[in-house]
Amino acid sequence: QKLRPIQRSLSEESIATVAALPGMILRSHSIHVGAAGRHSEVTCSIRPSSTKAALKAVQQEQRAWRRKHEHQNSRIDDIPTKLQPKSSFAMKESYWIDIETPPRSTEELSDFLYQLRLPPFFVSILSEPATWTSEVVALQFISLAIFQILPADPESDEIAHVALLSMPRLLVTFSTFPKNEEADGLYNLVHQYMKQR
């Protein structure tokens, strides 16, 4: 009986530190949502983190889901449907990775995005920001929303988009900015909004 070689998926490989490309701004935050106070008010704290920590958390979540799914499949007939446990990510620490970059080649962006362990289908879309149009792609455990941002200057004819990729315990925001302009506009807006939640 021949043994087949073990094929490791990208999510099972060890995670290396992700380095930003020249001119790219890469920020990572951890987000903890919890109950506090007498009336169990929901609080949200956001702290600087690392991209590596975010990717490790996603990797652990994927492994835990896979183990749980395999375990449930082995005994699915013994449990009534209404009693089957549902996954919950509510009280776990989540992560936000924000990427802002000046325009660059598709190849450069693809190579960078593959470091984030994103599925190839989404890498192919995200690596070509010049072709983005407003759209939403929703799958079982991953969703992508791309939408146009109105320029701050009403006289400007610039067309800019932002992409939001959502997975269990991870949000990735991705946008481009012209070389002659500074980044941070969208990041500051989202960061302030999240701090107020």
Side-chain angles (χ1 to χ4, degrees), residues 55-69:
L55 297 177
K56 275 187 174 262
V58 173
Q59 183 184 60
Q60 290 169 353
E61 193 68 49
Q62 290 171 344
R63 287 177 177 168
W65 181 87
R66 197 165 37 244
R67 280 194 303 270
K68 184 177 179 181
H69 186 68

Side-chain angles (χ1 to χ4, degrees), residues 56-155:
K56 275 187 174 262
V58 173
Q59 183 184 60
Q60 290 169 353
E61 193 68 49
Q62 290 171 344
R63 287 177 177 168
W65 181 87
R66 197 165 37 244
R67 280 194 303 270
K68 184 177 179 181
H69 186 68
E70 288 167 359
H71 180 68
Q72 282 181 345
N73 280 348
S74 67
R75 59 187 189 94
I76 197 77
D77 296 330
D78 303 335
I79 307 171
T81 307
K82 64 181 179 182
L83 298 178
Q84 288 171 16
K86 293 184 175 147
S87 60
S88 171
F89 309 108
M91 302 312 274
K92 293 182 182 178
E93 195 161 41
S94 297
Y95 293 86
W96 170 32
I97 298 174
D98 178 66
I99 305 162
E100 294 186 63
T101 183
R104 54 182 79 240
S105 74
T106 299
E107 292 77 22
E108 274 185 297
L109 284 177
S110 292
D111 290 346
F112 170 77
L113 291 167
Y114 273 117
Q115 294 180 83
L116 300 180
R117 312 300 179 102
L118 303 179
F121 171 71
F122 291 100
V123 169
S124 69
I125 294 172
L126 293 174
S127 61
E128 298 193 52
T131 65
W132 287 357
T133 57
S134 296
E135 65 177 313
V136 174
V137 178
L139 303 178
Q140 187 175 9
F141 292 109
I142 185 167
S143 299
L144 173 68
I146 298 175
F147 56 91
Q148 186 176 347
I149 304 170
L150 297 174
D153 178 8
E155 303 295 317

Side-chain angles (χ1 to χ4, degrees), residues 26-46:
L26 179 64
R27 305 176 188 94
S28 297
H29 296 283
S30 65
I31 302 162
H32 182 76
V33 178
R38 270 188 342 191
H39 304 290
S40 294
E41 298 161 350
V42 175
T43 61
C44 178
S45 61
I46 179 167

